[in-house]
């Protein structure tokens, strides 16, 4: 294997773009480049070969999956925290909207009351209720009248009044 100018092993040339490490790491890599590896392994066979170059045996079972689960848990916790913050923001906005709606309703009631007082004076709702009751009673009374007979009797009188007005004009 050949070492390039950044202190990386020849097999890691594709990973140089991701080199955002501190100067101490480069010094460590320059000290013993065959024993230091910053990137993951492509397969279990590559991992075993690397361990063999170090002169020891480390079991693979559980290491890769455990690291993957930790990173997924961290991402899920981060997403959950973001969702909780957004939920709190939405609750705050909903609270503001509810207060604004209550204010609008209260102002509309106040405006309607002031308008009724301006048009009908003191006790406008009582006067309005009296007018509605009177309208109901008059309508009921008119329905009981025999309008067919009244209209038949009144029609010649209405025509005579109209003829007089036309004759004067």
């Amino acid at each position: 294997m050949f070492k390039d100018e950044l202190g990386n092993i020849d097999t890691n040339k594709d990973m140089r773009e991701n080199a955002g490490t501190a100067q101490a790491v480069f010094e460590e890599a320059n000290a013993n480049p065959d024993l230091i590896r910053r990137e993951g392994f492509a397969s279990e066979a590559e991992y075993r070969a690397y361990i063999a170059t170090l002169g020891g045996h480390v079991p693979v079972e559980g290491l890769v999956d455990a690291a993957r689960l930790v990173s997924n848990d961290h991402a899920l916790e981060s997403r959950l925290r973001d969702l909780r913050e957004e939920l709190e923001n939405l609750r705050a906005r909903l609270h503001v909207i509810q207060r604004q709606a209550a204010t609008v309703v209260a102002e509309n009631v106040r405006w309607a009351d002031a308008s009724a007082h301006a048009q009908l004076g003191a006790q406008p709702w009582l006067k309005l209720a009296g007018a509605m009751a009177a309208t109901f009673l008059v309508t009921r009374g008119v329905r009981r009248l025999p309008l067919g007979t009244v209209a038949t009797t009144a029609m010649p009188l209405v025509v005579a009044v109209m003829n007089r007005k036309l004759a004067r004009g």
Side-chain angles (χ1 to χ4, degrees):
M1 288 194 268
F2 296 104
K3 186 171 87 170
D4 63 3
E5 66 277 359
L6 292 177
N8 291 330
I9 300 174
D10 191 36
T11 58
N12 299 329
K13 285 183 180 178
D14 296 337
M15 299 295 182
R16 276 184 277 172
E17 292 82 22
N18 296 332
T21 57
Q23 183 64 29
V25 174
F26 284 116
E27 292 172 1
E28 186 178 306
N30 289 332
N32 194 351
D34 293 330
L35 298 178
I36 304 240
R37 181 172 178 98
R38 290 181 190 83
E39 295 82 23
F41 299 96
S43 66
E44 185 177 339
E46 186 179 337
Y47 169 73
R48 290 191 187 278
Y50 178 71
I51 294 299
T53 61
L54 295 176
H57 178 72
V58 178
V60 176
E61 292 77 20
L63 293 179
V64 176
D65 293 334
R68 191 174 295 154
L69 288 176
V70 168
S71 65
N72 286 342
D73 288 344
H74 177 68
L76 290 175
E77 287 174 6
S78 174
R79 180 70 177 139
L80 183 61
R81 186 177 59 247
D82 292 343
L83 290 174
R84 284 183 178 152
E85 288 175 7
E86 187 171 342
L87 184 62
E88 284 300 316
N89 288 338
L90 290 174
R91 283 183 180 154
R93 289 173 62 190
L94 181 61
H95 181 68
V96 169
I97 290 170
Q98 286 174 338
R99 278 194 322 200
Q100 289 174 345
T103 302
V104 167
V105 168
E107 288 301 317
N108 284 342
V109 167
R110 225 177 275 132
W111 173 83
D113 190 49
S115 176
H117 280 284
Q119 292 176 13
L120 300 173
Q123 299 179 344
W125 303 111
L126 183 61
K127 291 179 182 178
L128 186 60
M132 289 171 56
T135 303
F136 174 76
L137 293 175
V138 168
T139 303
R140 193 164 237 209
V142 169
R143 282 188 179 173
R144 290 188 179 180
L145 289 176
L147 290 181
T149 308
V150 172
T152 305
T153 306
M155 189 59 80
L157 295 174
V158 172
V159 171
V161 170
M162 289 174 52
N163 283 339
R164 280 188 215 138
K165 285 185 180 180
L166 290 173
R168 287 184 195 164

